[in-house]
Amino acid sequence: MTAATTRRGFLKISAIAALALGLPASAQSSLIQQKTSWALGEIGGKTGLKNASVTPTICTFCSMGCSIDFYTNGSDIIWTRGSPESYINWGALCPKGKVAYQLATSTERLDSPMIRTGPKPPAEEILNAKTWDELVAVIKKYPPQWRKVSWDEALSYIARRLAAILNDWRSSTGAPAQQDGYYYIGAKTPVAVMGSSILTNEEAYLSIKLAAFLGTSNTDSEYRKCHSSTVTALALTYGWGAETASIEDVALADVVLFFSNPAEAHPLSFYYFMKGKKERGTILIALNPNYSRTVEASDIWVPFRPGTDTAILNYILHYAFFERNPPIDQLPEFQRLMSTRWNITQDDLDDLKAMLSEYDAQTVSNITGVPVDMLRTVAQIYVENSGVVTSHKKHGVIQWAMGMTQHTDAVLSIIRAAAIVQLLLGNVGYPGGGTHPFRGHSNVQGATDVQGGGLGVLPGYHAPPGSPFEVRLYQDWKLQGMPDPWNWEVPQWALKSFSTTAPSRGKADAAKALEVFNFYGWRRFELLWGIYCGTVPPDDPVNGKVVCDIPIGTGASETTLPSKIFTGDVKAAFIFGENPAVTDPNIKVTMAALASLQLLVVSDIFETETAWFADVVLPGVSFAEKEGTKTDGNRVIQWQWRAVPPRGQSRPDYWIIATLYKYLRREGAILLPSEAAGVRSEEVKFRKMGQIVFVYERPLRPDYSWDYSGGVGAAQPISDIEAEVNPRIINKEINYTMLIYQGMYDPVRDTFTTMRRNNALRNPGEIDGTFSSTFKVYKNWGWSWPLNVRFMYNYDSLQIALGHPDVVTAAGKQWTVTGETGEIIDEYTGEYRPAFVPGHNFFVPKAFKRRLSGVADLFGGVDLMTFIRTGQLSFPGKFVVETDGGVQVLDFETFASSTGMRYPWANDALYWDEETMTFPAFLKRIFYPGVGWRQFKPTYENMRSLLRQYYSQLGDLKAATLKVIQEMGGWYKGYTFQWPIHAEPVEAPIVDFAIQYPTLAWLNPYNIEVLEQEPSILQGKMVGVALEPNELQAQLQPLGITGITVVMTTNRLTETWHSGSMNRRIPDLVELVPRPFVKIPRKLAQQLGVSTGDYVELWTARGGLKMRAYVTDGEAYLEVNGQDVPVVNILWSWSFEGPDAGPSANFISPDVVDPVTTIQETKAWLAVIRKAPSV
Amino acid sequence: MVAVNFPPADQGFAVLVDIDKCIGCRACQLACKDWNGLAPVKTTFSPTFTNPQSFTAQDWKVVFYYEGAAKKGLATPAGEVVFEQVDVAPLPAQCLHCAAAPCARACPSGAISVTPEGAVVINKDQCIGCGFCENACPYDVPRRGSDGKYYKCTFCVDRIQNGREPACVEVCPTGVFTFGPASQIVQMAQSEAAKGRTVYGLNLNPYVGGQVRWIYVSSDRKAFAIKQHFPSDAVVPTNEAREVLQEIVPPLALVGAVALTAVGFASWRRARIEEQKSQQKQKEQ
């Protein structure tokens, strides 16, 4: 009985008593003046809305790219709402977006730089923790004890400490001079630079630029752990590692397979999914062990065992080839696509079909736990609504996120399988047929692009030089006049190390195209960063001394970094806006590694769990306090305006990094190889008609490249902070360094195209006008890469939809096009013309043509460093023209007036014609040396039977695995992985399957380290893996832990975000989901005697933690191959910091990784669950 | 108790809530808090995922989640295939703004005004915290704040009177809410009902004026949420009885006394129910 009820009961009686006494009913009415009208915002105290300034920002949470309008008065935020004009969110927002402004107003924000005064938690103590509570006790024993300092003191401190570390390393190794007498550095530099997907493009770009100037390839970011597998698998199959189409595409689909949870992770995407449902009855099929809010909104729930996605995808194709009548390869559209757009032969197809024949419905049902009738229904629906079957009247979309990407077979199997399904069913490249991985963070696509995807790759995915040989080849390419692949002749001396089918001029193959794409990138960095990479002297590529400021080689990834720290290979790290102490798998190991660094600098807006281990913490700003560009999950780049000034002493990361550079330089932390080698300028020379022609001298100006002060025209700085470091100048620099981002600044009209907020569709006759109006694609909003293409590989979709090609008038010409072409500034007129003619196809623009091949340096030799800062066009470069009379060297004016080419400085006179479109999608893809499926099959059988034999002999899967590797000389030895096959996760719930479908993990030696608990500091700690239930149970037995073995997977909710460092500090979101919990199936709960809200313990090979159980029928309890397999879903956005703390799921997740990209396997692993003895 | 003028049910505004379109994201719940300047509330684990587990003085809009069983049909080339599965349906709830709001009738201080738009609004300055509104509400909406006054959804009266739709309507990513002139919305609801969809909010007890201004519609599949959420009859019997008595007591005081006994019994029963509900609530918090 509560007080309220008592009171209420009393009120009732008294009311009735009053009535009984006959009081007049409306006795008081005439005395009351009722309020009946309200001013806007009166109730919630939002006055002043009418006079407020309105600034559009881009939401900082997911990758949809929603616009949030900030209504402000000076630095006060009155209100925020979704921008009504945005074609992405049309005024709406999700709950996180709605309260995102609280990141700018939170009282927990860091407002000053801080230096640690307390000791760090010792690595040994951290690693000894067996439970989450023990870990927290260790960590809290060693608080950082921050001392607030000025920016000057913080940056000086960092610079001094880093200079000491690097100078020690230089004096002990001789770097940057190498033993071979050359000057370069890279993977061995003991510094790592990490982060982040929440930075703007300009900030993320500066972080990678800083890494390059520090000479390290140890660069990475959040994308490693979310979609690195997507990026790699898609890039190697289609040409580009990104979502193939923008969000409008999903509304054109007739069926969608969700291997993900976008209703929660990307709520606004459901505007377009629902649009499709309403307009064309799109069938939504949700494959997920968990009854997510996406499943709620879908037509059917297909619960399946985590990590068996490949089997399901392979069955879809099995149905198409073997159950369907006629099989799809007898359909004319299949045959057309096979002969024109895929790289396979009939023999390849036969090989693929031989592999697929093994994935019949019953087998796949046994693997996945999905009943046969449900599997068949899904396959039927998907295949019958596909492009090849309907002649492109209908298409299907595959949509995924972490559920697919975080597996040890993500690249080689799961995502490859999705990519192949989309190709073979004729979906990809046609509206409504996109391959739609949804990226996580607001700018994870952009960070991936501008950081090249990490590991030392350069911005724009230009791979760095792999060796001094490659620098020599590059120098020779420069001497050839920086030709396109068709004009490049691979020198005879290089053919031993560089393999191509078309070495001579006039021909190109993929090898040449991809190599020139890299060279082209390096040249851009030389020009914009004021650095050098080549030989000295420049006209002797064969024997000259190699001097390269671009770091050479491949660095450590985020997931493998801890191991490099333990071995002392990395001693210092910068982490910008990222929280690996929560987001890494097996975080105990990461925490121990962070604590072992000699110098850790963290920049963030809150004191994150990672900051707890830092030596210096720098206060960054929220999204609303800075400006710049962000690239949403489907490659649309939007400008984000600054709504309010930074709080306290906090500063945007562009200011932090550019200012830090100056301090690092002053203290001698940065020393470029060219400086050590005494190179101060480059003599640009071309080899023409057997002689060396001097073109011009280019002075090296590395420090000038870091001067982003000032700004003119459209780049006027917006405040004093931006006057010191102006992101608009950085934006222009990116426009010129990264081929794929070219066009986001229009140098002819001095406008930033990413600032366009026009939601009108284009009209037929305009560039992509028919495309835009037919498929309702908003091409006038922002800019997308490449060259404003929204639906990639749309080579002939327009022709197929219209029945004839389309005609476009632009730059004074008519263009016949068949698909979406994108647009580029015409080098003759300065107007826009269609870029990829007749339409965008696979692997473009990696393969391009250059009108200035052999004629001039990039962009006609214009001084770009000066141009992006001052707007002044000057041409130190010259134009080398071969005439009957010999070789002539002309200045820009002479060249421009004789050729009419006045705008080479805008786009380097690049163009794409039919010939550049000839590279097909790599349906067949060789990942390792070896043979195809049919030839490999006997080896595979042998591997499986050996594994079974050793397992039954030894009773230990780990020992059996190592024995097989030893005996066969490797793991999966001899298979190319040209087709995806099902492989079990490292921690497999059914040992029979672990033997029948061996994990791919052991292809990567790093995973063997994890298996054997290397390096030595990890020996004897609870940090390893248990390969099957028996092994896990045996490991837990000494601790007295018994219970039911379950398959674990991780989850995020609409209301939570990633590491939780943001959402846990927004009280409105905390109110909705106050603490982490695990979702467990009702049947399991009954077996455990657990009711909803009770605490359960989860124990793994990494330790144990305790959480509340949410009991539901909406969590899979599967029957797999006749065996019960309960799935438990754990929320992971919590840790020990902030007002809403809770156990971290990554305390118990394994750190085994994908062999290709090293993404961790956090979506399928094993735990033992039991009811918590007491709370 | 004041005489309240209710605009006719087909005048003013109304909202159609299509729960088939709802992805349960709770943007509406936070948009409500944000627009109305409502402070965050300390909550704990919710066994239903609904959080807070019902309305509070600081939470005027709450998304409730219901778990049920559903038949799900899929169109295949061979015809429709039906799977019977668990289902979860989110139901965004707030004051329904009854056509003739019993809370407004019950308020003794005249603090609840009904605007020409049909918004039923508690005026904080005039609220005396007596709780008659809470008692009168068949949907368990008004909540007493720490200042002793009552709070609930205002239909975003300070928005709809100034040319904007309610904050929750504006923020919704999937267009769950259709805000418009009542005549139009009622017509839409009727045509949805004619299509065989489940509609809640029309043809209700005269106690609420026969209909409400926030009308819910769903397919068969999600209808279990509507059935679980809304009372089968939109009436509070004790309060209804009181209102009847109010009219007849002066001439019939004696009858009134007898009726009081009956009502007292009904009140006791309802108090029991309230008690149980309240205990459950306490447990959840």
Side-chain angles (χ1 to χ4, degrees):
Chain A
M1 189 67 176
T2 65
T5 316
T6 313
R7 181 189 50 78
R8 292 181 53 174
F10 168 75
L11 286 174
K12 278 175 198 142
I13 302 297
S14 54
I16 292 160
L19 270 176
L21 290 171
L23 288 177
S26 6
Q28 306 166 66
S29 65
S30 58
L31 302 175
I32 293 168
Q33 190 62 48
Q34 273 201 329
K35 183 175 172 72
T36 54
S37 73
W38 282 263
L40 183 68
E42 187 180 339
I43 292 172
K46 290 178 180 27
T47 47
L49 271 178
K50 283 209 173 109
N51 299 321
S53 313
V54 184
T55 311
T57 63
I58 305 300
C59 182
T60 193
F61 285 102
C62 86
S63 65
M64 289 309 299
C66 298
S67 295
I68 306 176
D69 282 350
F70 274 63
Y71 289 68
T72 56
N73 178 12
S75 56
D76 292 335
I77 299 166
I78 304 172
W79 185 50
T80 61
R81 65 159 300 185
S83 309
E85 76 276 15
S86 165
Y87 81 96
I88 297 167
N89 57 311
W90 299 113
L93 286 172
C94 78
K96 290 190 294 284
K98 185 69 226 181
V99 294
Y101 73 89
Q102 292 179 23
L103 295 170
T105 59
S106 170
T107 52
E108 291 186 57
R109 278 278 299 276
L110 298 177
D111 59 0
S112 162
M114 304 191 293
I115 293 177
R116 182 184 206 99
T117 64
K120 294 184 187 178
E124 278 283 338
E125 269 188 62
I126 293 172
L127 292 167
N128 280 334
K130 289 190 171 59
T131 66
W132 172 254
D133 292 341
E134 283 174 29
L135 177 69
V136 174
V138 170
I139 291 165
K140 294 280 177 169
K141 218 164 90 185
Y142 301 94
Q145 297 176 16
W146 300 117
R147 181 167 66 87
K148 288 193 175 190
V149 297
S150 68
W151 276 104
D152 180 59
E153 186 175 347
L155 298 178
S156 303
Y157 178 83
I158 296 167
R160 269 199 314 276
R161 299 263 315 259
L162 189 67
I165 293 168
L166 284 174
N167 285 329
D168 265 5
W169 168 72
R170 284 180 191 126
S171 56
S172 66
T173 62
Q178 300 291 319
Q179 283 173 351
D180 52 16
Y182 309 144
Y183 290 84
Y184 61 88
I185 37 185
K188 288 185 176 159
T189 308
V191 184
V193 179
M194 301 285 152
S196 157
S197 307
I198 201 163
L199 303 178
T200 61
N201 285 325
E202 291 71 24
E203 292 170 330
Y205 171 84
L206 280 199
S207 76
I208 207 82
K209 184 175 176 183
L210 181 72
F213 275 66
L214 284 167
T216 183
S217 316
N218 298 314
T219 64
D220 209 2
S221 181
E222 215 86 68
Y223 41 70
R224 178 67 39 208
K225 294 176 296 203
C226 64
H227 271 293
S228 62
S229 44
T230 295
V231 171
T232 302
L234 291 188
L236 295 177
T237 308
Y238 297 160
W240 295 101
E243 192 173 353
T244 64
S246 58
I247 191 65
E248 301 96 307
D249 182 60
V250 305
L252 303 166
D254 295 279
V255 53
V256 176
L257 298 183
F258 291 116
F259 284 87
S260 58
N261 184 11
E264 302 204 48
H266 304 84
L268 263 299
S269 66
F270 258 72
Y271 169 81
Y272 280 98
F273 286 118
M274 292 292 198
K275 184 170 184 259
K277 187 141 201 65
K278 188 176 164 201
E279 291 175 0
R280 54 197 304 143
T282 312
I283 301 171
L284 304 177
I285 298 174
L287 302 103
N288 197 331
N290 169 33
Y291 207 92
S292 66
R293 278 173 261 192
T294 301
V295 185
E296 292 170 22
S298 295
D299 293 291
I300 188 78
W301 180 35
V302 185
F304 73 106
R305 180 163 68 93
T308 62
D309 317 51
T310 311
I312 293 176
L313 292 161
N314 280 358
Y315 171 66
I316 290 175
L317 291 178
H318 179 96
Y319 169 85
F321 285 112
F322 301 107
E323 289 188 28
R324 188 180 192 280
N325 188 17
I328 57 163
D329 49 340
Q330 289 180 18
L331 301 174
E333 181 57 14
F334 184 98
Q335 289 160 0
R336 182 186 76 90
L337 290 171
M338 182 166 155
S339 64
T340 56
R341 300 190 68 198
W342 308 331
N343 72 328
I344 56 167
T345 62
Q346 186 58 44
D347 187 55
D348 295 329
L349 183 63
D350 292 342
D351 196 51
L352 171 63
K353 281 167 68 177
M355 186 278 291
L356 292 171
S357 69
E358 301 185 14
Y359 291 85
D360 58 90
Q362 190 56 55
T363 304
V364 172
S365 174
N366 289 348
I367 295 172
T368 60
V370 182
V372 166
D373 62 332
M374 188 178 267
L375 267 179
R376 187 164 285 132
T377 304
V378 169
Q380 259 179 6
I381 291 174
Y382 200 68
V383 171
E384 297 311 319
N385 283 291
S386 68
V388 285
V389 168
T390 66
S391 294
H392 299 293
K393 299 209 166 38
K394 294 183 173 187
H395 294 100
V397 154
I398 300 183
Q399 198 282 312
W400 73 84
M402 308 304 86
M404 263 201 188
T405 63
Q406 295 176 341
H407 295 281
T408 48
D409 59 343
V411 174
L412 297 174
S413 291
I414 299 178
I415 294 160
R416 264 285 286 173
I420 288 175
V421 167
Q422 287 299 78
L423 277 176
L424 287 176
L425 293 182
N427 288 330
V428 74
Y430 296 93
T435 302
H436 284 274
F438 281 179
R439 305 299 304 260
H441 285 277
S442 55
N443 194 37
V444 61
Q445 183 63 55
T448 314
D449 300 335
V450 303
Q451 298 184 339
L455 313 185
V457 179
L458 292 162
Y461 306 108
H462 302 282
S467 65
F469 159 77
E470 226 179 331
V471 176
R472 296 187 185 287
L473 191 57
Y474 169 60
Q475 184 64 46
D476 193 82
W477 174 82
K478 285 201 266 184
L479 280 170
Q480 289 185 38
M482 303 165 204
D484 61 39
W486 282 264
N487 281 299
W488 180 37
E489 180 164 0
V490 182
Q492 202 62 39
W493 56 262
L495 285 172
K496 256 187 285 173
S497 309
F498 180 80
S499 169
T500 169
T501 59
S504 52
R505 260 183 90 162
K507 282 190 199 152
D509 62 0
K512 265 173 89 174
L514 296 177
E515 187 69 358
V516 168
F517 177 72
N518 291 333
F519 292 168
Y520 194 62
W522 306 347
R523 186 60 186 164
R524 287 170 171 237
F525 293 108
E526 280 192 279
L527 296 181
L528 272 302
W529 289 0
I531 57 171
Y532 187 69
C533 183
T535 59
V536 176
D539 46 10
D540 188 4
V542 182
N543 302 307
K545 185 167 65 180
V546 169
V547 176
C548 187
D549 293 333
I550 298 171
I552 290 183
T554 304
S557 77
E558 281 204 347
T559 45
T560 59
L561 181 66
S563 156
K564 279 219 168 188
I565 294 172
F566 290 136
T567 54
D569 291 326
V570 171
K571 295 183 169 64
F574 291 88
I575 299 179
F576 296 101
E578 196 178 333
N579 196 6
V582 181
T583 59
D584 271 7
N586 202 0
I587 43 170
K588 199 162 53 182
V589 172
T590 296
M591 288 177 179
L594 292 175
S596 307
L597 283 165
Q598 287 178 26
L599 176 66
L600 174 60
V601 179
V602 172
S603 159
D604 214 306
I605 66 173
F606 296 115
E607 187 200 59
T608 61
E609 287 77 6
T610 300
W612 187 274
F613 298 93
D615 295 274
V616 185
V617 173
L618 303 174
V621 300
S622 77
F623 69 110
E625 299 154 78
K626 61 187 177 186
E627 67 160 12
T629 57
K630 287 177 176 174
T631 309
D632 73 18
N634 44 64
R635 300 171 285 105
V636 176
I637 312 167
Q638 302 183 90
W639 190 267
Q640 121 114 37
W641 278 266
R642 188 183 89 154
V644 286
R647 276 170 73 95
Q649 289 303 303
S650 66
R651 288 288 177 272
D653 282 279
Y654 45 77
W655 183 91
I656 295 175
I657 298 169
T659 310
L660 175 64
Y661 171 84
K662 295 192 181 91
Y663 281 80
L664 292 174
R665 193 69 166 153
R666 197 185 303 157
E667 292 291 336
I670 289 172
L671 173 65
L672 297 174
S674 62
E675 291 168 334
V679 181
R680 305 208 184 289
S681 69
E682 177 189 23
E683 289 192 340
V684 181
K685 293 174 178 174
F686 290 174
R687 204 165 42 210
K688 284 279 160 189
M689 299 170 110
Q691 52 173 313
I692 299 289
V693 179
F694 174 80
V695 186
Y696 75 109
E697 183 170 357
R698 181 178 67 91
L700 305 189
R701 292 180 291 175
D703 290 331
Y704 184 49
S705 90
W706 279 92
D707 180 358
Y708 295 113
S709 63
V712 295
Q716 282 287 341
I718 57 163
S719 86
D720 290 351
I721 293 170
E722 282 72 20
E724 288 179 40
V725 180
N726 191 342
R728 298 182 185 214
I729 298 175
I730 305 168
N731 182 282
K732 292 186 195 178
E733 183 174 308
I734 297 172
N735 177 70
Y736 277 112
T737 50
M738 283 170 54
L739 174 53
I740 57 168
Y741 272 41
Q742 186 169 302
M744 76 168 173
Y745 171 67
D746 176 342
V748 175
R749 278 152 283 266
D750 186 27
T751 52
F752 295 96
T753 53
T754 54
M755 289 184 182
R756 301 185 308 176
R757 294 175 68 82
N758 175 356
N759 63 16
L761 297 170
R762 289 190 185 171
N763 296 313
E766 295 179 67
I767 299 173
D768 290 331
T770 308
F771 178 83
S772 165
S773 58
T774 306
F775 301 120
K776 307 281 179 293
V777 181
Y778 297 91
K779 291 204 55 149
N780 286 329
W781 185 282
W783 180 262
S784 69
W785 74 259
L787 298 175
N788 210 21
V789 166
R790 305 286 162 127
F791 291 11
M792 294 203 286
Y793 324 125
N794 223 286
Y795 180 60
D796 59 8
S797 72
L798 200 54
Q799 170 154 6
I800 281 174
L802 301 174
H804 55 83
D806 191 34
V807 176
V808 165
T809 308
K813 278 193 206 168
Q814 284 210 327
W815 309 79
T816 302
V817 301
T818 59
E820 190 185 8
T821 62
E823 60 228 42
I824 189 169
I825 294 171
D826 185 61
E827 57 274 33
Y828 295 99
T829 61
E831 292 167 29
Y832 281 94
R833 61 165 162 83
F836 309 112
V837 181
H840 185 271
N841 203 6
F842 304 106
F843 287 94
V844 288
K846 274 180 185 156
F848 54 83
K849 286 194 177 172
R850 218 186 145 230
R851 290 199 205 286
L852 298 178
S853 281
V855 174
D857 202 341
L858 272 50
F859 303 97
V862 67
D863 175 1
L864 286 172
M865 289 177 80
T866 304
F867 175 63
I868 60 170
R869 288 171 175 79
T870 65
Q872 312 256 286
L873 274 176
S874 65
F875 286 86
K878 297 283 182 286
F879 295 78
V880 185
V881 182
E882 289 175 55
T883 62
D884 295 343
V887 179
Q888 279 189 299
V889 180
L890 311 175
D891 63 14
F892 171 70
E893 219 23 77
T894 315
F895 177 78
S897 43
S898 66
T899 59
M901 204 188 295
R902 303 210 71 92
Y903 298 93
W905 48 275
N907 63 9
D908 191 35
L910 292 186
Y911 66 103
W912 287 266
D913 56 9
E914 277 273 21
E915 202 174 24
T916 56
M917 312 274 168
T918 53
F919 300 112
F922 282 14
L923 211 144
K924 177 177 165 183
R925 158 62 71 178
I926 310 298
F927 285 88
Y928 296 94
V931 294
W933 175 253
R934 284 167 300 185
Q935 292 125 293
F936 175 67
K937 191 76 195 300
T939 316
Y940 186 51
E941 294 302 351
N942 186 25
M943 173 183 166
R944 304 203 283 193
S945 72
L946 275 180
L947 198 56
R948 190 173 299 279
Q949 184 192 327
Y950 291 137
Y951 179 70
S952 59
Q953 277 171 17
L954 306 166
D956 178 342
L957 193 53
K958 178 177 158 183
T961 301
L962 293 172
K963 217 163 148 59
V964 169
I965 293 173
Q966 195 189 17
E967 191 167 320
M968 299 189 75
W971 192 245
Y972 277 93
K973 183 94 174 161
Y975 182 42
T976 56
F977 280 95
Q978 62 188 23
W979 316 122
I981 55 173
H982 169 63
E984 286 289 308
V986 166
E987 298 198 323
I990 296 167
V991 72
D992 242 20
F993 280 159
I995 291 165
Q996 209 181 335
Y997 302 102
T999 175
L1000 305 190
W1002 319 125
L1003 284 163
N1004 187 334
Y1006 172 80
N1007 287 323
I1008 310 264
E1009 263 188 45
V1010 175
L1011 187 67
E1012 310 217 72
Q1013 301 195 200
E1014 296 287 348
S1016 56
I1017 189 171
L1018 303 176
Q1019 293 282 321
K1021 309 291 195 302
M1022 259 187 116
V1023 293
V1025 285
L1027 304 189
E1028 46 122 350
N1030 284 340
E1031 191 185 342
L1032 178 59
Q1033 286 151 13
Q1035 285 182 15
L1036 297 176
Q1037 202 189 7
L1039 302 171
I1041 311 290
T1042 55
I1044 298 175
T1045 306
V1046 296
V1047 170
M1048 294 296 302
T1049 189
T1050 60
N1051 198 13
R1052 180 165 91 184
L1053 301 171
T1054 313
E1055 300 83 358
T1056 65
W1057 181 253
H1058 216 59
S1059 86
S1061 67
M1062 295 195 292
N1063 62 278
R1064 283 187 271 131
R1065 288 175 175 88
I1066 297 180
D1068 280 344
L1069 292 172
V1070 174
E1071 179 182 341
L1072 299 179
V1073 183
R1075 286 288 183 279
F1077 54 83
V1078 288
K1079 271 182 135 179
I1080 69 172
R1082 198 173 306 281
K1083 194 170 164 189
L1084 175 66
Q1086 284 159 356
Q1087 290 163 344
L1088 295 168
V1090 164
S1091 309
T1092 207
D1094 287 349
Y1095 281 87
V1096 289
E1097 284 181 5
L1098 291 162
W1099 283 90
T1100 68
R1102 277 76 57 196
L1105 55 72
K1106 194 164 66 184
M1107 270 190 201
R1108 282 199 205 252
Y1110 181 93
V1111 177
T1112 173
D1113 284 321
E1115 190 64 46
Y1117 192 105
L1118 300 164
E1119 196 191 303
V1120 178
N1121 210 24
Q1123 197 174 320
D1124 279 359
V1125 176
V1127 180
V1128 168
N1129 211 304
I1130 185 168
L1131 299 184
W1132 70 276
S1133 301
W1134 278 264
S1135 188
F1136 62 85
E1137 279 270 59
D1140 183 40
S1144 220
N1146 276 327
F1147 179 66
I1148 53 173
S1149 65
D1151 52 350
V1152 282
V1153 299
D1154 177 278
V1156 181
T1157 72
T1158 75
I1159 192 169
Q1160 75 284 4
E1161 185 156 79
T1162 35
K1163 290 296 179 184
W1165 35 289
L1166 292 182
V1168 162
I1169 189 169
R1170 65 174 187 175
K1171 188 173 180 176
S1174 63
V1175 176
Chain B
M1 275 144 273
V2 291
V4 188
N5 291 323
F6 295 107
D10 61 352
Q11 287 176 24
F13 293 110
V15 176
L16 190 69
V17 185
D18 186 342
I19 64 169
D20 287 331
K21 292 183 184 168
C22 181
I23 56 169
C25 75
R26 303 200 268 201
C28 53
Q29 188 168 334
L30 290 196
C32 174
K33 285 184 86 93
D34 176 61
W35 177 257
N36 294 301
L38 305 175
V41 168
K42 186 101 186 129
T43 58
T44 178
F45 175 84
S46 164
T48 59
F49 198 68
T50 307
N51 227 342
Q53 292 177 51
S54 187
F55 302 111
T56 79
Q58 304 291 336
D59 294 274
W60 303 349
K61 179 137 194 162
V62 171
V63 178
F64 289 78
Y65 298 86
Y66 295 98
E67 198 166 312
K71 286 191 173 134
K72 304 177 188 172
L74 283 172
T76 75
E80 194 181 53
V81 181
V82 177
F83 291 91
E84 191 151 358
Q85 291 189 325
V86 65
D87 200 10
V88 176
L91 187 145
Q94 68 299 304
C95 171
L96 296 181
H97 298 273
C98 302
C103 60
R105 298 199 303 266
C107 179
S109 67
I112 303 184
S113 45
V114 180
T115 71
E117 294 80 17
V120 180
V121 188
I122 303 177
N123 294 292
K124 190 166 96 172
D125 295 343
Q126 284 145 8
C127 175
I128 58 169
C130 69
F132 282 25
C133 54
E134 187 182 8
N135 181 42
C137 177
Y139 299 110
D140 194 24
V141 169
R143 285 292 186 276
R144 192 167 192 267
S146 55
D147 58 359
K149 293 170 188 288
Y150 273 81
Y151 293 91
K152 71 164 194 72
C153 161
T154 70
F155 210 143
C156 272
V157 67
D158 62 342
R159 293 174 59 93
I160 65 174
Q161 289 189 339
N162 294 286
R164 290 175 187 252
E165 52 194 10
C168 58
V169 175
E170 176 186 88
V171 82
C172 179
T174 51
V176 170
F177 311 102
T178 309
F179 168 79
S183 55
Q184 206 176 305
I185 297 300
V186 168
Q187 210 170 37
M188 282 172 68
Q190 282 162 344
S191 82
E192 292 301 319
K195 283 185 217 156
R197 296 180 80 198
T198 299
V199 170
Y200 183 88
L202 303 176
N203 310 317
L204 300 176
N205 195 299
Y207 179 73
V208 294
Q211 70 173 68
V212 292
R213 287 178 182 272
W214 286 65
I215 304 166
Y216 286 72
V217 56
S218 98
S219 60
D220 269 2
R221 180 179 149 186
K222 303 273 178 190
F224 64 86
I226 286 180
K227 289 191 189 90
Q228 287 182 54
H229 186 79
F230 292 111
S232 55
D233 196 10
V235 63
V236 178
T238 53
N239 207 53
E240 188 191 34
R242 180 184 61 77
E243 290 193 324
V244 172
L245 282 173
Q246 195 177 308
E247 298 304 317
I248 57 173
V249 151
L252 287 171
L254 189 67
V255 180
V258 176
L260 177 60
T261 315
V263 169
F265 179 71
S267 168
W268 172 80
R269 280 199 52 187
R270 181 165 160 82
R272 281 289 302 265
I273 295 164
E274 292 274 322
E275 188 186 325
Q276 283 162 359
K277 263 166 96 180
S278 161
Q279 278 174 345
Q280 194 193 338
K281 236 180 260 176
Q282 281 234 316
K283 194 178 153 201
E284 289 159 2
Q285 279 157 11

